[in-house]
């Protein structure tokens, strides 16, 4: 039912109890398979450098705005800069089995007044490929935003040509909203940006799907999934 104001104009739903939310901070988020720790040069730079260099090329950095640090010293500087940032707020993804950092991610473009934040700087290393960590890391960030901070909207944006990121957004339950054409210049080339979102009223169903997929019962002794996240969402 459309709400009309006293001029007879349609207006949005009233939010009489809405108050600005707290900003995301450098907290630890614990999961079943991994945890997110506030990014730290001292704790994570060596692990991340080794993880990012576990293959000989930097194909995983094509769509990021920076290139892979070539040396440990460059990585130390890179992590030190991110460690100090308040927006984005960076996290290291730590494998609970090895207690080593295997990737990093952030909450960024934080709008606490309106309860909106974006998951960005998704920088998984090859050590995270075909593991449960990438999925659980996104789940932990969404749970933090929606359940702890009570945000209204979580965003995901990616290069229009970054097919793996687009597929990941859909797999994680984000809804496609549109394409911002010629949004930015990235490494001297044009970037059209795809926008996705997940809203607070969509989160409970998405959370339940994540919980079912992440459950130890969904994996064999060898770590193979029994049901795909995509299939659980459809069901």
């Amino acid at each position: 039912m459309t709400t009309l104001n006293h001029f007879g104009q349609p207006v949005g739903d009233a939010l009489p109890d809405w108050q600005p939310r707290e900003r995301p901070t450098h907290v630890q988020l614990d999961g079943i398979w991994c945890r997110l720790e506030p990014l730290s040069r001292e704790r994570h730079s060596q692990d991340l450098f080794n993880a990012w260099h576990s293959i000989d090329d930097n194909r995983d950095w094509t769509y990021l705005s920076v290139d892979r640090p070539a040396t440990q010293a460059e990585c130390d500087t890179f992590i030190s800069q991110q460690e100090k940032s308040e927006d984005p707020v960076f996290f290291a993804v730590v494998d609970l089995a090895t207690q080593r950092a295997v990737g990093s991610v952030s909450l960024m473009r934080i709008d606490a007044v309106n309860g909106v934040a974006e998951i960005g700087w998704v920088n998984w290393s090859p050590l995270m490929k075909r593991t449960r960590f990438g999925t659980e890391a996104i789940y932990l960030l969404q749970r933090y935003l929606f359940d702890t901070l009570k945000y209204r909207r979580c965003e995901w944006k990616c290069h229009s040509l970054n097919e793996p990121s687009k597929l990941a957004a859909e797999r994680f339950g984000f809804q496609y909203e549109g394409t911002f054409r010629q949004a930015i210049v990235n490494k001297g080339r044009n970037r059209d940006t795809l926008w996705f979102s997940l809203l607070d009223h969509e989160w409970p169903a998405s959370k339940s799907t994540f919980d079912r997929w992440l459950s130890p019962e969904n994996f064999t002794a060898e770590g193979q999934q029994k049901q795909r996240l995509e299939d659980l969402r459809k069901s």
Side-chain angles (χ1 to χ4, degrees):
M1 181 177 178
T2 303
T3 301
L4 303 179
N5 67 8
H6 61 287
F7 298 113
Q9 299 166 313
V11 294
D13 295 335
L15 302 172
D17 299 322
W18 176 257
Q19 295 291 331
R21 298 315 196 213
E22 294 182 10
R23 295 179 62 83
T25 58
H26 300 88
V27 297
Q28 179 171 306
L29 305 174
D30 295 304
I32 300 172
W33 312 107
C34 72
R35 68 173 175 268
L36 301 186
E37 297 179 353
L39 188 62
S40 162
R41 181 196 62 77
E42 181 179 358
R43 294 197 306 274
H44 306 126
S45 185
Q46 181 70 66
D47 286 347
L48 288 174
F49 179 79
N50 293 338
W52 289 330
H53 283 263
S54 58
I55 57 174
D56 293 333
D57 59 63
N58 61 354
R59 69 186 66 188
D60 293 331
W61 296 69
T62 297
Y63 299 110
L64 293 175
S65 61
V66 298
D67 291 320
R68 181 176 66 170
T71 65
Q72 182 63 62
E74 288 183 13
C75 190
D76 289 346
T77 300
F78 178 59
I79 298 299
S80 293
Q81 292 170 346
Q82 294 186 333
E83 177 182 4
K84 299 172 185 175
S85 174
E86 296 296 333
D87 188 356
V89 176
F90 287 94
F91 300 86
V93 183
V94 176
D95 176 359
L96 291 183
T98 65
Q99 297 298 313
R100 295 185 181 279
V102 291
S104 63
V105 67
S106 80
L107 292 172
M108 58 185 289
R109 301 186 187 279
I110 299 163
D111 180 358
V113 172
N114 294 296
V116 180
E118 174 187 345
I119 295 177
W121 279 93
V122 180
N123 196 350
W124 299 160
S125 77
L127 301 183
M128 290 185 65
K129 303 294 176 63
R130 297 182 178 86
T131 71
R132 292 160 277 199
F133 312 145
T135 298
E136 187 170 46
I138 300 303
Y139 165 77
L140 292 173
L141 290 174
Q142 290 182 340
R143 190 177 69 180
Y144 177 49
L145 280 179
F146 289 123
D147 290 350
T148 303
L149 299 179
K150 306 300 182 183
Y151 272 46
R152 302 179 66 229
R153 172 181 169 90
C154 179
E155 297 178 339
W156 179 285
K157 305 183 184 78
C158 66
H159 196 303
S160 63
L161 301 178
N162 188 350
E163 191 66 16
S165 185
K166 173 186 174 183
L167 293 175
E170 295 169 346
R171 179 174 177 270
F172 295 146
F174 289 91
Q175 301 298 309
Y176 172 70
E177 294 185 327
T179 301
F180 278 42
R181 300 177 298 162
Q182 295 189 185
I184 60 174
V185 177
N186 183 48
K187 296 179 178 175
R189 297 180 181 275
N190 176 64
R191 167 175 151 163
D192 297 345
T193 298
L194 305 183
W195 282 53
F196 298 83
S197 72
L198 183 74
L199 306 182
D200 53 357
H201 67 269
E202 299 166 336
W203 169 240
S206 183
K207 178 183 179 181
S208 176
T209 303
F210 273 119
D211 286 335
R212 291 168 63 195
W213 188 84
L214 289 165
S215 170
E217 286 72 32
N218 188 44
F219 295 90
T220 67
E222 294 74 31
Q224 297 297 314
Q225 63 180 345
K226 297 177 182 178
Q227 289 186 285
R228 301 191 313 159
L229 186 62
E230 302 92 315
D231 295 336
L232 289 173
R233 289 198 184 281
K234 293 177 183 177
S235 66

